[in-house]
Amino acid sequence: MQIAKSIVSDIVNVLISGGIIDEHVHKDLYHKLQDDLVLEEINNYLDWMGKKCVRTKDNYGFYCVFSESRKNKATRELLRKQFSEIVSKMEPLNDWLRLCRSIKDNSRIMQCGDTVTYGELITEVERSPLIMSQLKELVIKLGKASTSPKEQISSVLQYLVSNQYLHPTGNTGTTYIATAKWSVFYDELEYICTFNGINYDEIPEPEQGELIWVSWNIQQPKRQKPSTTTLSISVMR
Protein backbone atom coordinates (compact mmCIF):
# COMPACT_ATOMS: atom_id res chain seq x y z
CA MET A 1 0.00 0.00 0.00
CA GLN A 2 1.29 3.43 -0.93
CA ILE A 3 0.30 6.32 1.30
CA ALA A 4 0.93 10.00 0.68
CA LYS A 5 4.42 11.19 1.62
CA SER A 6 2.90 14.09 3.53
CA ILE A 7 0.97 11.67 5.76
CA VAL A 8 4.08 9.57 6.39
CA SER A 9 6.03 12.73 7.20
CA ASP A 10 3.37 14.04 9.58
CA ILE A 11 3.12 10.74 11.46
CA VAL A 12 6.88 10.20 11.68
CA ASN A 13 7.54 13.78 12.83
CA VAL A 14 5.05 13.44 15.69
CA LEU A 15 6.42 10.07 16.75
CA ILE A 16 10.15 10.82 16.72
CA SER A 17 9.59 14.11 18.54
CA GLY A 18 8.13 12.15 21.45
CA GLY A 19 4.48 12.82 20.67
CA ILE A 20 1.56 10.48 21.24
CA ILE A 21 -0.94 10.05 18.42
CA ASP A 22 -4.53 9.69 19.60
CA GLU A 23 -7.96 10.54 18.25
CA HIS A 24 -8.22 13.77 20.25
CA VAL A 25 -4.93 15.53 19.51
CA HIS A 26 -4.07 13.99 16.12
CA LYS A 27 -7.41 12.59 14.98
CA ASP A 28 -6.62 12.14 11.27
CA LEU A 29 -3.24 10.54 11.91
CA TYR A 30 -4.74 8.24 14.55
CA HIS A 31 -7.35 6.92 12.13
CA LYS A 32 -4.70 6.40 9.46
CA LEU A 33 -2.67 4.26 11.87
CA GLN A 34 -5.69 2.09 12.61
CA ASP A 35 -5.00 0.57 9.20
CA ASP A 36 -2.43 -2.18 9.74
CA LEU A 37 -1.00 -1.61 6.27
CA VAL A 38 -0.33 2.05 7.07
CA LEU A 39 1.24 1.07 10.39
CA GLU A 40 3.45 -1.43 8.57
CA GLU A 41 4.63 1.22 6.11
CA ILE A 42 5.40 3.65 8.93
CA ASN A 43 7.42 0.97 10.69
CA ASN A 44 9.32 0.19 7.52
CA TYR A 45 10.31 3.85 7.44
CA LEU A 46 11.21 3.94 11.15
CA ASP A 47 13.17 0.71 11.03
CA TRP A 48 16.32 2.32 9.68
CA MET A 49 16.34 4.57 12.76
CA GLY A 50 16.11 1.54 15.04
CA LYS A 51 12.60 2.53 16.11
CA LYS A 52 9.06 1.29 15.70
CA CYS A 53 5.53 2.55 16.25
CA VAL A 54 3.39 0.55 18.68
CA ARG A 55 -0.13 0.76 20.05
CA THR A 56 -0.89 1.27 23.70
CA LYS A 57 -2.44 -1.79 25.31
CA ASP A 58 -5.85 -0.10 25.45
CA ASN A 59 -5.55 0.95 21.78
CA TYR A 60 -6.08 4.63 22.63
CA GLY A 61 -2.83 5.79 21.08
CA PHE A 62 0.37 5.16 19.16
CA TYR A 63 3.89 6.04 20.20
CA CYS A 64 7.50 5.37 19.27
CA VAL A 65 9.87 2.90 20.93
CA PHE A 66 13.39 1.67 20.30
CA SER A 67 13.40 -1.67 18.51
CA GLU A 68 17.13 -2.37 18.82
CA SER A 69 17.83 -0.84 22.23
CA ARG A 70 19.98 -3.68 23.53
CA LYS A 71 22.42 -3.57 20.61
CA ASN A 72 23.49 0.06 20.81
CA LYS A 73 25.41 1.49 23.77
CA ALA A 74 24.34 5.10 23.15
CA THR A 75 20.69 4.06 22.97
CA ARG A 76 21.00 2.05 26.17
CA GLU A 77 22.39 5.08 27.99
CA LEU A 78 19.56 7.25 26.68
CA LEU A 79 17.04 4.68 27.90
CA ARG A 80 18.64 4.64 31.34
CA LYS A 81 18.20 8.42 31.62
CA GLN A 82 14.61 8.25 30.40
CA PHE A 83 13.90 5.42 32.82
CA SER A 84 15.14 7.54 35.72
CA GLU A 85 13.02 10.52 34.63
CA ILE A 86 9.93 8.36 34.18
CA VAL A 87 10.30 7.00 37.70
CA SER A 88 10.81 10.52 39.11
CA LYS A 89 7.49 11.64 37.59
CA MET A 90 5.44 8.68 38.73
CA GLU A 91 4.70 9.85 42.26
CA PRO A 92 3.25 13.29 41.33
CA LEU A 93 1.27 11.75 38.47
CA ASN A 94 -0.09 9.12 40.84
CA ASP A 95 -1.04 11.94 43.25
CA TRP A 96 -2.90 13.71 40.44
CA LEU A 97 -4.86 10.53 39.70
CA ARG A 98 -5.69 10.16 43.39
CA LEU A 99 -6.91 13.77 43.51
CA CYS A 100 -9.12 13.24 40.44
CA ARG A 101 -10.61 10.10 41.93
CA SER A 102 -11.41 12.03 45.12
CA ILE A 103 -13.18 14.69 43.07
CA LYS A 104 -15.13 12.20 40.92
CA ASP A 105 -15.78 9.97 43.96
CA ASN A 106 -15.17 6.76 42.03
CA SER A 107 -12.43 4.19 41.59
CA ARG A 108 -11.92 4.59 37.83
CA ILE A 109 -8.60 6.11 36.86
CA MET A 110 -8.21 8.81 34.24
CA GLN A 111 -8.37 7.59 30.66
CA CYS A 112 -7.82 9.11 27.25
CA GLY A 113 -10.86 11.21 26.37
CA ASP A 114 -11.82 12.19 29.94
CA THR A 115 -12.46 15.89 30.46
CA VAL A 116 -11.06 18.12 33.18
CA THR A 117 -12.41 21.58 33.86
CA TYR A 118 -10.80 24.35 35.87
CA GLY A 119 -14.19 25.30 37.32
CA GLU A 120 -14.89 21.83 38.71
CA LEU A 121 -11.41 21.60 40.21
CA ILE A 122 -11.59 24.92 42.03
CA THR A 123 -15.13 24.16 43.30
CA GLU A 124 -14.12 20.78 44.73
CA VAL A 125 -10.84 22.06 46.19
CA GLU A 126 -12.62 24.88 48.03
CA ARG A 127 -15.32 22.48 49.22
CA SER A 128 -13.11 19.73 50.58
CA PRO A 129 -10.18 20.15 53.01
CA LEU A 130 -8.98 16.66 51.99
CA ILE A 131 -8.80 17.57 48.31
CA MET A 132 -7.15 20.89 49.15
CA SER A 133 -4.52 19.00 51.15
CA GLN A 134 -3.93 16.59 48.25
CA LEU A 135 -3.51 19.53 45.89
CA LYS A 136 -0.93 21.20 48.17
CA GLU A 137 1.08 17.97 48.38
CA LEU A 138 1.01 17.62 44.60
CA VAL A 139 2.17 21.20 44.02
CA ILE A 140 5.08 20.68 46.43
CA LYS A 141 6.16 17.51 44.61
CA LEU A 142 6.07 19.38 41.31
CA GLY A 143 8.34 22.04 42.80
CA LYS A 144 5.86 24.83 42.18
CA ALA A 145 5.72 28.01 44.27
CA SER A 146 1.98 28.66 43.90
CA THR A 147 0.15 29.72 47.04
CA SER A 148 -3.60 30.16 46.48
CA PRO A 149 -5.78 27.22 45.35
CA LYS A 150 -6.43 28.92 42.01
CA GLU A 151 -2.70 29.37 41.37
CA GLN A 152 -2.02 25.80 42.47
CA ILE A 153 -4.62 24.38 40.10
CA SER A 154 -3.32 26.52 37.25
CA SER A 155 0.27 25.39 37.82
CA VAL A 156 -0.74 21.72 37.92
CA LEU A 157 -2.79 22.05 34.74
CA GLN A 158 0.08 23.83 33.01
CA TYR A 159 2.43 21.02 34.02
CA LEU A 160 0.07 18.36 32.65
CA VAL A 161 -0.41 20.25 29.39
CA SER A 162 3.30 20.89 28.88
CA ASN A 163 3.97 17.18 29.45
CA GLN A 164 1.17 16.18 27.05
CA TYR A 165 -1.10 14.46 29.58
CA LEU A 166 -3.83 17.04 28.99
CA HIS A 167 -4.78 18.94 25.85
CA PRO A 168 -6.77 22.22 25.89
CA THR A 169 -10.14 21.95 24.18
CA GLY A 170 -13.00 24.34 23.51
CA ASN A 171 -12.84 28.12 23.33
CA THR A 172 -12.75 29.08 27.00
CA GLY A 173 -9.24 27.86 27.85
CA THR A 174 -10.55 26.21 31.02
CA THR A 175 -11.45 22.76 29.67
CA TYR A 176 -8.96 20.01 28.98
CA ILE A 177 -9.10 16.51 27.56
CA ALA A 178 -6.93 13.63 28.73
CA THR A 179 -4.63 12.29 26.05
CA ALA A 180 -3.34 8.79 25.30
CA LYS A 181 -0.16 9.65 27.15
CA TRP A 182 -2.00 8.34 30.20
CA SER A 183 -2.24 5.01 28.38
CA VAL A 184 1.52 5.08 27.81
CA PHE A 185 2.03 5.95 31.48
CA TYR A 186 -0.05 2.96 32.60
CA ASP A 187 1.80 0.65 30.21
CA GLU A 188 5.15 1.90 31.55
CA LEU A 189 4.00 1.63 35.16
CA GLU A 190 2.66 -1.88 34.68
CA TYR A 191 5.89 -2.94 33.00
CA ILE A 192 8.12 -1.45 35.71
CA CYS A 193 6.00 -2.87 38.53
CA THR A 194 6.17 -6.30 36.93
CA PHE A 195 9.92 -6.18 37.42
CA ASN A 196 9.80 -4.26 40.71
CA GLY A 197 13.22 -4.10 42.32
CA ILE A 198 15.05 -5.77 39.45
CA ASN A 199 18.15 -4.15 37.99
CA TYR A 200 17.52 -2.59 34.56
CA ASP A 201 20.11 -4.87 32.94
CA GLU A 202 18.17 -7.90 34.17
CA ILE A 203 14.87 -6.85 32.62
CA PRO A 204 14.03 -9.09 29.63
CA GLU A 205 12.90 -7.71 26.30
CA PRO A 206 9.16 -6.95 26.28
CA GLU A 207 7.19 -8.40 23.40
CA GLN A 208 6.44 -5.09 21.68
CA GLY A 209 9.95 -3.70 21.99
CA GLU A 210 11.37 -1.38 24.61
CA LEU A 211 8.44 0.01 26.60
CA ILE A 212 10.21 3.25 27.42
CA TRP A 213 8.62 6.28 25.79
CA VAL A 214 10.89 8.02 23.28
CA SER A 215 11.06 11.71 24.13
CA TRP A 216 13.70 14.17 23.00
CA ASN A 217 12.10 17.11 24.79
CA ILE A 218 12.10 16.16 28.49
CA GLN A 219 13.57 19.18 30.25
CA GLN A 220 14.67 17.69 33.53
CA PRO A 221 18.09 17.82 35.24
CA LYS A 222 20.37 14.91 34.41
CA ARG A 223 20.23 12.14 36.97
CA GLN A 224 22.39 9.20 37.86
CA LYS A 225 21.26 6.01 36.18
CA PRO A 226 19.17 3.88 38.51
CA SER A 227 20.76 0.70 39.80
CA THR A 228 17.77 -0.84 41.52
CA THR A 229 14.37 0.84 41.58
CA THR A 230 11.60 -0.16 43.95
CA LEU A 231 8.06 1.14 43.41
CA SER A 232 5.03 0.78 45.62
CA ILE A 233 2.51 2.35 43.22
CA SER A 234 -0.39 0.10 42.27
CA VAL A 235 -2.11 0.05 38.90
CA MET A 236 -5.91 -0.04 38.82
CA ARG A 237 -7.13 -0.73 35.30
Side-chain angles (χ1 to χ4, degrees), residues 98-105 120-121 124-125 131:
R98 182 182 59 163
L99 186 149
C100 288
R101 288 169 61 188
S102 296
I103 290 175
K104 299 294 185 181
D105 194 26
E120 181 182 15
L121 288 173
E124 294 300 321
V125 166
I131 295 176

Side-chain angles (χ1 to χ4, degrees), residues 58-177:
D58 57 18
N59 201 36
Y60 282 139
F62 295 85
Y63 63 109
C64 196
V65 299
F66 289 105
S67 58
E68 299 291 336
S69 61
R70 304 282 175 182
K71 299 180 181 180
N72 184 294
K73 183 177 179 180
T75 300
R76 286 168 60 85
E77 290 304 313
L78 177 60
L79 283 172
R80 291 179 194 277
K81 292 179 181 179
Q82 290 184 355
F83 183 90
S84 178
E85 289 171 352
I86 288 168
V87 170
S88 72
K89 292 181 179 181
M90 281 184 171
E91 188 173 3
L93 290 174
N94 190 60
D95 285 356
W96 163 257
L97 295 173
R98 182 182 59 163
L99 186 149
C100 288
R101 288 169 61 188
S102 296
I103 290 175
K104 299 294 185 181
D105 194 26
N106 62 44
S107 61
R108 189 177 74 82
I109 59 174
M110 179 165 287
Q111 294 180 337
C112 178
D114 287 352
T115 57
V116 175
T117 65
Y118 177 87
E120 181 182 15
L121 288 173
I122 191 63
T123 297
E124 294 300 321
V125 166
E126 292 178 341
R127 179 188 64 82
S128 168
L130 171 62
I131 295 176
M132 182 175 292
S133 175
Q134 291 176 342
L135 177 62
K136 288 180 179 178
E137 290 179 10
L138 173 56
V139 170
I140 291 172
K141 290 177 182 178
L142 291 177
K144 304 296 183 180
S146 307
T147 54
S148 71
K150 291 183 179 180
E151 291 178 342
Q152 291 173 343
I153 291 172
S154 294
S155 65
V156 171
L157 291 174
Q158 289 170 9
Y159 172 84
L160 293 170
V161 170
S162 64
N163 284 276
Q164 303 180 60
Y165 290 97
L166 294 180
H167 182 73
T169 185
N171 301 319
T172 63
T174 59
T175 303
Y176 305 84
I177 192 164

Side-chain angles (χ1 to χ4, degrees), residues 4 19 26 34 97 111 134 157 164 183 196 224 228 230:
H26 301 286
Q34 290 293 333
L97 295 173
Q111 294 180 337
Q134 291 176 342
L157 291 174
Q164 303 180 60
S183 303
N196 185 17
Q224 296 294 323
T228 302
T230 302

